[in-house]
């Protein structure tokens, strides 16, 4: 049985996560979706889609890859996987591999399963799968497990200075 998500608008309290703080500061329209995270679920992204009752094609996971020695953010639908060759090509690189999780956590300031493309500790090159533009809104991590933010793909692209490219594999 799917858990009923708790839906909230912009956080009223000062603070929030670095992602929601960045969105609020930018004046972007967004909705926060909170749900009870189940640590035994095999996929953070699929859990989010199920809990929110949203199509997995609209829920995007944030992955950190190493492209020729540079940490790079890849944002792809949870329904698929990341094409590392396509990611490298999108940023003009030759080779890409998934980053060491501990290095990704230290660099972004977020924990695995809660890494948001927004409000990261260090600004990293970002690539958003171009399938995002097929939807009026998409969901990405809001900066912790059990918390997603829904926003327009164009706002995510602008705020992260993302490149749009076909980096996802269905």
């Amino acid at each position: 049985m799917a858990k009923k998500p708790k839906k909230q608008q912009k956080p009223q309290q000062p603070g929030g996560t670095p992602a929601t703080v960045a969105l609020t500061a930018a004046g972007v329209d967004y909705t926060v979706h909170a749900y009870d995270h189940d640590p035994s679920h095999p996929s953070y992204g699929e859990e989010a889609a199920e809990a929110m009752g949203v199509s997995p094609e609209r829920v995007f996971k944030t992955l950190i890859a190493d492209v020729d020695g540079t940490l790079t953010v890849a944002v792809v639908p949870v329904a698929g996987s990341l094409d590392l060759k396509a990611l490298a090509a999108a940023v003009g690189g030759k080779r890409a591999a998934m980053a060491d999780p501990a290095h990704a956590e230290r660099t972004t300031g977020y924990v695995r399963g809660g890494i948001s493309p927004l409000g990261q500790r260090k600004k990293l090159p970002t690539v958003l799968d171009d399938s995002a533009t097929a939807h009026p809104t998409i969901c990405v991590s809001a900066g912790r497990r059990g918390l997603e933010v829904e926003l327009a793909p164009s706002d995510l692209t602008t705020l992260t200075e993302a490149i749009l490219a076909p980096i996802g594999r269905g």
Side-chain angles (χ1 to χ4, degrees):
M1 185 157 142
K3 297 173 192 157
K4 182 140 176 94
K6 301 170 212 152
K7 193 171 182 182
Q8 349 172 288
Q9 290 299 321
K10 296 178 185 176
Q12 299 302 310
Q13 75 279 9
T17 68
T20 59
V21 169
L23 287 165
T24 300
V28 169
D29 286 333
Y30 67 95
T31 302
V32 173
H33 300 274
Y35 59 92
D36 294 321
H37 167 62
D38 176 1
S40 69
H41 199 289
S43 167
Y44 297 117
E46 289 174 10
E47 176 192 23
E50 291 166 10
M52 294 186 302
V54 173
S55 164
E57 289 77 24
R58 282 191 49 229
V59 179
F60 283 66
K61 56 189 169 186
T62 305
L63 302 171
I64 308 297
D66 182 318
V67 180
D68 298 335
T70 300
L71 287 185
T72 304
V73 178
V75 186
V76 296
V78 302
S81 60
L82 172 62
D83 181 335
L84 288 166
K85 287 182 182 180
L87 175 64
V91 295
K94 293 181 181 177
R95 288 193 53 199
M98 294 308 297
D100 171 68
H103 188 205
E105 289 178 345
R106 280 191 309 273
T107 303
T108 64
Y110 293 118
V111 297
R112 194 166 56 107
I115 294 178
S116 177
L118 299 155
Q120 295 181 357
R121 185 177 287 153
K122 180 180 180 191
K123 187 157 183 53
L124 300 173
T126 301
V127 182
L128 174 61
D129 186 70
D130 61 1
S131 68
T133 61
H135 309 286
T137 61
I138 61 171
C139 298
V140 297
S141 176
R144 74 172 186 254
R145 296 173 188 152
L147 196 66
E148 294 280 311
V149 64
E150 182 177 350
L151 74 164
S154 58
D155 288 333
L156 181 62
T157 302
T158 300
L159 291 173
T160 60
E161 299 177 15
I163 296 167
L164 284 170
I167 60 168
R169 286 192 293 222

